[in-house]
């Protein structure tokens, strides 16, 4: 059963914070906020009641576990989603360019706008990167509908407004071979979604040999961009300024430092998020139920 209600959603409505799924005009309305809280809390009770019948509960990250355990009063098992660590793990670490690659559907919660603002701050705070023509952001993602098309156009306009049209490129609905090629050329993988449950795209960055700069929340913070073998596997940030700083840190790594961190992150991903690891973790809780 997938998680459809989260305790942070309740908190955001309670604090009347605007977000992509909590319109600013409605968030400012006391009546709407009260009605929405009543609905969410009633739904949470039903959701918790349904969850109480589950014999085995599996979740995809530590972050999701915290919320499910709270809502369902259970002790869920964490089973990380599998990543194709074999194909992406074969990409060479040699000859990488100073490309920053972002892979995410053009949905509002992915916060591509923050990525563009971070690039603007990167060039403002660290103008030396303007001298490197390879320092570009490549946004790779699928476009589902008219809403996504409008969002992409808004992002293009923002890039032009900030005079970054030559530094930000869009690869919309790119085929998989193009995606793999970009992952094999780039040096940094950028992720800006707040409180993503897990973050399989971040794992793919690590497996492909990119230095991750991810949002300091959710699955990336708690499970993926964590130390492995007592060494870092990437960077975390939470606003345009800190993202600019961490992008600068990633781009400033020497060739040896880059390969050391990238290799460590790749080993971490292969060890914890491979299809084999998924199979082992999946069978462990099932055995308790079947034996």
């Amino acid at each position: 059963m997938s998680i459809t209600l989260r305790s942070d959603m309740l908190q955001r409505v309670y604090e009347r914070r605007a977000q992509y799924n909590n319109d600013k005009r409605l968030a400012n309305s006391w009546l709407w906020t009260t009605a929405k809280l009543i609905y969410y809390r009633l739904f949470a009770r039903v959701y918790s009641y349904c969850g109480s019948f589950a014999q085995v509960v599996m979740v995809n990250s530590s972050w999701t576990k915290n919320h499910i355990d709270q809502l369902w009063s259970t002790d869920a098992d964490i089973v990380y989603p599998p990543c194709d660590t074999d194909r992406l793990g074969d990409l060479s670490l040699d000859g990488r360019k100073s490309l920053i690659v972002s892979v995410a559907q053009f949905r509002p919660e992915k916060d591509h706008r923050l990525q563009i603002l971070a690039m603007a701050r990167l060039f403002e705070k660290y103008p030396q990167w303007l001298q490197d023509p390879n320092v570009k952001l490549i946004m790779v993602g699928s476009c589902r509908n008219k809403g996504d098309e409008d969002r992409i156009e808004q992002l293009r306009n923002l890039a032009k407004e900030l005079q970054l049209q030559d530094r930000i490129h869009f690869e919309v609905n790119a085929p998989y071979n193009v995606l793999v090629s970009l992952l094999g050329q780039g040096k940094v993988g950028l992720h800006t979604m707040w409180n993503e449950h897990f973050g399989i795209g971040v794992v793919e960055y690590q497996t492909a040999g990119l230095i991750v700069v991810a949002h300091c929340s959710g699955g990336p913070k708690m499970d993926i961009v964590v130390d492995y073998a007592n060494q870092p596997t990437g960077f975390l940030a939470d606003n345009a300024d800190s993202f600019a700083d961490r992008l600068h840190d990633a781009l400033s790594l020497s060739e040896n430092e880059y390969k050391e961190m990238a290799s460590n992150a790749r080993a971490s991903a292969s060890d914890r998020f491979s299809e084999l690891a998924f199979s082992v973790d999946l069978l462990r809780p099932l055995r308790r139920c079947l034996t």
Side-chain angles (χ1 to χ4, degrees):
M1 183 174 185
S2 63
I3 183 169
T4 56
L5 181 69
R6 310 190 309 261
S7 56
D8 67 311
M9 290 167 59
L10 294 170
Q11 187 66 24
R12 185 166 60 237
V13 174
Y14 176 76
E15 294 175 356
R16 297 167 73 174
R17 280 186 284 141
Q19 185 64 292
Y20 64 90
N21 58 356
N22 195 34
D23 186 87
K24 183 178 181 180
R25 293 170 299 173
L26 299 178
N28 289 331
S29 168
W30 175 87
L31 181 61
W32 177 260
T33 296
T34 302
K36 198 169 184 179
L37 279 173
I38 292 172
Y39 166 76
Y40 272 1
R41 283 170 176 160
L42 286 174
F43 188 82
R45 287 182 178 273
V46 175
Y47 191 58
S48 178
Y49 176 74
C50 293
S52 67
F53 289 96
Q55 291 178 283
V56 176
V57 180
M58 289 179 277
V59 295
N60 64 351
S61 70
S62 298
W63 185 88
T64 310
K65 173 180 169 60
N66 290 342
H67 288 276
I68 283 290
D69 285 356
Q70 179 182 344
L71 288 168
W72 287 9
S73 299
T74 187
D75 184 16
D77 290 281
I78 299 174
V79 180
Y80 296 124
C83 175
D84 182 8
T85 56
D86 292 332
R87 178 172 181 180
L88 295 178
D90 288 337
L91 295 174
S92 174
L93 300 181
D94 294 321
R96 297 288 182 117
K97 301 176 183 177
S98 301
L99 288 177
I100 302 166
V101 182
S102 164
V103 182
Q105 287 184 333
F106 288 100
R107 306 198 319 253
E109 62 268 30
K110 297 299 183 180
D111 206 352
H112 290 86
R113 185 175 186 276
L114 177 57
Q115 298 183 6
I116 295 176
L117 296 177
M119 289 295 291
R121 291 297 291 143
L122 173 68
F123 291 124
E124 288 172 9
K125 298 178 74 172
Y126 308 101
Q128 64 267 34
W129 295 117
L130 290 170
Q131 307 306 314
D132 185 346
N134 288 319
V135 178
K136 298 176 181 179
L137 170 60
I138 312 295
M139 290 184 171
V140 187
S142 60
C143 177
R144 304 164 300 170
N145 50 40
K146 180 65 163 54
D148 287 353
E149 290 175 2
D150 293 343
R151 194 169 297 111
I152 293 170
E153 187 61 27
Q154 291 170 6
L155 293 171
R156 293 185 193 275
N157 290 336
L158 177 61
K160 290 178 182 177
E161 179 184 329
L162 297 173
Q163 299 183 340
L164 294 174
Q165 62 269 29
D166 295 331
R167 296 286 183 163
I168 296 175
H169 298 267
F170 295 82
E171 289 286 348
V172 181
N173 296 326
Y176 186 66
N177 64 313
V178 171
L179 169 62
V180 173
S181 175
L182 289 170
L183 291 176
Q185 295 176 52
K187 186 169 283 188
V188 180
L190 183 59
H191 164 277
T192 48
M193 180 176 173
W194 172 72
N195 270 353
E196 183 154 18
H197 294 190
F198 178 61
I200 193 68
V202 179
V203 177
E204 290 175 340
Y205 291 160
Q206 291 184 333
T207 305
L210 298 171
I211 302 300
V212 169
V213 178
H215 200 285
C216 187
S217 65
K221 175 185 179 181
M222 300 180 71
D223 294 312
I224 304 174
V225 190
V226 297
D227 285 359
Y228 180 78
N230 296 318
Q231 297 296 323
T233 59
F235 300 98
L236 296 168
D238 59 8
N239 56 45
D241 270 328
S242 60
F243 268 106
D245 292 337
R246 300 295 81 77
L247 287 171
H248 170 70
D249 291 341
L251 292 169
S252 298
L253 294 173
S254 68
E255 189 67 15
N256 286 337
E257 289 171 334
Y258 156 71
K259 287 185 177 180
E260 183 177 328
M261 183 178 290
S263 297
N264 191 52
R266 178 176 277 178
S268 172
S270 298
D271 184 29
R272 300 186 297 130
F273 308 123
S274 66
E275 293 180 357
L276 176 61
F278 170 76
S279 299
V280 172
D281 291 342
L282 179 66
L283 290 175
R284 187 178 296 114
L286 290 177
R287 287 195 185 98
R288 296 200 305 267
C289 179
L290 300 175
T291 57

